[in-house]
Amino acid sequence: MGDRQRPTIKTVAARAGVGRTTVSRVINGSELVSEKARAAVLAAIAELNYVPNSVARGLVTRRTNSVALVIPESESRLGSEPYFSAVIRGVSAALAETRTQLQLMLVRDQAERDQLTESVAERRVDGVLLVSVHEHDPLPGLLEDMGLPTVLAGRRSPDESLSHVHSDNAGGAAAAVNHLLARGRRTVATISGPLDMDVARSRLQGWREALEKAGHDATDRLVASGDFTEEGGKAAMRSLLEQVPELDAVFVASDVMAAGALAELRRQERGVPDDVAVVGFDDSIIARHTNPPLSTVRQPVEEIGSMIAHILLEEIGSPEEPRRRVTLPTELVVRESS
């Protein structure tokens, strides 16, 4: 067979008369295969001179039954942002069904990035789950170049090449804006997240498109950039009130920042929702304990965690399968802040 027709798992499966999953299990040394099927697959591999790719070969001989959940953020951000704990719960629940161990790794500087690279090079983990993805973070490309199965919670851009799961961020933001407009608000500002993240750019895009479609102003003076922290929300709200004192509504790209925005509105004696209506994003536990309780866009964060874990396990077991791109729906939750 010529180089242009190199055998694949699909070819081996057809020759052995089994499914591709069975071939992957044989390659990866799984015990969940009958001796008859194993013999047929091994015979087909020998007959076709099939050579698994480098990842599959590594998994045959050096499978660790562990994956890394990598969060390139500080401990303070990890502890204060409910999003991360919800993702971890979802990942843990999915892996509890297997014998796969979970390693949590924070990557905050070059030294910790080098440590992760060393772990990958020595195949101390079978795959990586990457959360909180920034556009120019070298980690996703580095992991991809090293051939390690990697799945993202979020994406670097709409052209993301790695498997990923994210929420309908633009659609959720648009739903928030449409709700505010339906309540009679005329000047709807926004506090975005860091614009080097697709999640922040998508929510900003949803805000802008909803306003423009309704014939309302969506200029940059109505936008203040935050950093997904409470203090960032306070500072951004302060900036908006200085730039646009007449604003009567604000869509905030996270509940944590929205809590900061509410605190700044109280400090400046702006009533919520009478003077300024506020809608956040996430529907984290914070949203139910603000004063007043926060209207917000619910995203299925635990489901994101569970799904990225399942996809990663599939990619570890069948590295030649196509990569997956999943968008989960969001839902507007209306409370007293709007």
Side-chain angles (χ1 to χ4, degrees):
M1 183 172 291
D3 289 342
R4 287 178 296 180
Q5 295 181 318
R6 290 177 59 188
T8 65
I9 281 183
K10 184 176 181 180
T11 315
V12 173
R15 181 63 59 92
V18 299
R20 283 178 290 180
T21 300
T22 299
V23 176
S24 294
R25 286 174 175 167
V26 173
I27 292 171
N28 296 332
S30 171
E31 299 174 359
L32 302 176
V33 182
S34 70
E35 286 305 314
K36 180 179 179 181
R38 189 185 309 278
V41 169
L42 292 175
I45 287 174
E47 182 179 352
L48 294 169
N49 196 27
Y50 172 71
V51 179
N53 66 26
S54 59
V55 174
R57 288 200 303 273
L59 291 171
V60 171
T61 58
R62 304 182 66 179
R63 187 77 170 263
T64 66
N65 289 320
S66 66
V67 298
L69 175 59
V70 178
I71 303 176
E73 301 286 354
S74 65
E75 298 102 318
S76 60
R77 176 93 197 281
L78 179 64
S80 64
E81 175 55 76
Y83 173 85
F84 295 119
S85 58
V87 170
I88 293 170
R89 286 196 302 272
V91 170
S92 298
L95 295 183
E97 305 167 5
T98 73
R99 292 183 296 176
T100 305
Q101 294 183 326
L102 179 64
Q103 299 181 28
L104 178 61
M105 301 179 70
L106 299 183
V107 176
R108 295 156 291 191
D109 53 31
Q110 186 59 48
E112 291 178 339
R113 186 176 292 112
D114 292 342
Q115 183 180 1
L116 173 62
T117 303
E118 182 180 342
S119 294
V120 170
E122 296 183 1
R123 284 297 194 263
R124 296 177 198 163
V125 295
D126 298 329
V128 169
L129 300 165
L130 187 57
V131 181
S132 192
V133 185
H134 294 258
E135 183 178 18
H136 300 297
D137 188 335
L139 272 179
L142 180 64
L143 295 168
E144 186 172 22
D145 291 343
M146 297 181 76
L148 191 74
T150 301
V151 181
L152 312 181
R155 61 186 186 181
R156 288 168 287 181
S157 75
D159 300 322
E160 180 59 64
S161 57
L162 291 167
S163 290
H164 60 276
V165 180
H166 68 138
S167 297
D168 180 10
N169 292 297
V177 171
N178 289 333
H179 162 70
L180 291 167
L181 295 175
R183 293 293 173 94
R185 305 296 164 155
R186 307 296 299 172
T187 307
V188 182
T190 187
I191 297 174
S192 77
L195 294 179
D196 68 337
M197 301 182 74
D198 177 81
V199 60
R201 294 193 301 271
S202 295
R203 291 174 190 176
L204 180 60
Q205 175 190 348
W207 166 84
R208 193 180 304 278
E209 290 179 351
L211 284 179
E212 291 175 346
K213 185 175 181 180
H216 286 260
D217 186 15
T219 60
D220 289 343
R221 68 187 290 266
L222 292 171
V223 180
S225 181
D227 58 1
F228 286 142
T229 68
E230 185 173 356
E231 285 303 315
K234 287 180 184 178
M237 191 71 250
R238 190 177 312 123
S239 174
L240 282 174
L241 290 172
E242 291 172 358
Q243 295 179 75
V244 196
E246 73 275 17
L247 70 83
D248 59 3
V250 59
F251 163 63
V252 190
S254 81
D255 290 346
V256 174
M257 290 196 300
L262 288 172
E264 182 62 25
L265 287 166
R266 278 195 303 274
R267 190 185 73 82
Q268 298 202 26
E269 299 183 345
R270 298 285 190 107
V272 177
D274 293 343
D275 298 325
V276 180
V278 180
V279 178
F281 202 112
D282 286 332
D283 195 31
S284 64
I285 190 170
I286 290 172
R288 294 181 285 281
H289 295 284
T290 56
N291 182 24
L294 182 67
S295 295
T296 186
V297 178
R298 177 181 296 154
Q299 62 168 337
V301 183
E302 285 195 38
E303 186 179 348
I304 290 174
S306 176
M307 189 165 288
I308 60 174
H310 282 300
I311 291 174
L312 182 63
L313 293 177
E314 291 172 2
E315 293 200 358
I316 290 170
S318 303
E320 295 184 0
E321 289 296 303
R323 289 172 175 169
R324 296 180 60 187
R325 297 160 179 82
V326 180
T327 302
L328 298 177
T330 56
E331 176 189 359
L332 180 67
V333 179
V334 178
R335 297 191 178 95
E336 285 89 335
S337 70
S338 63

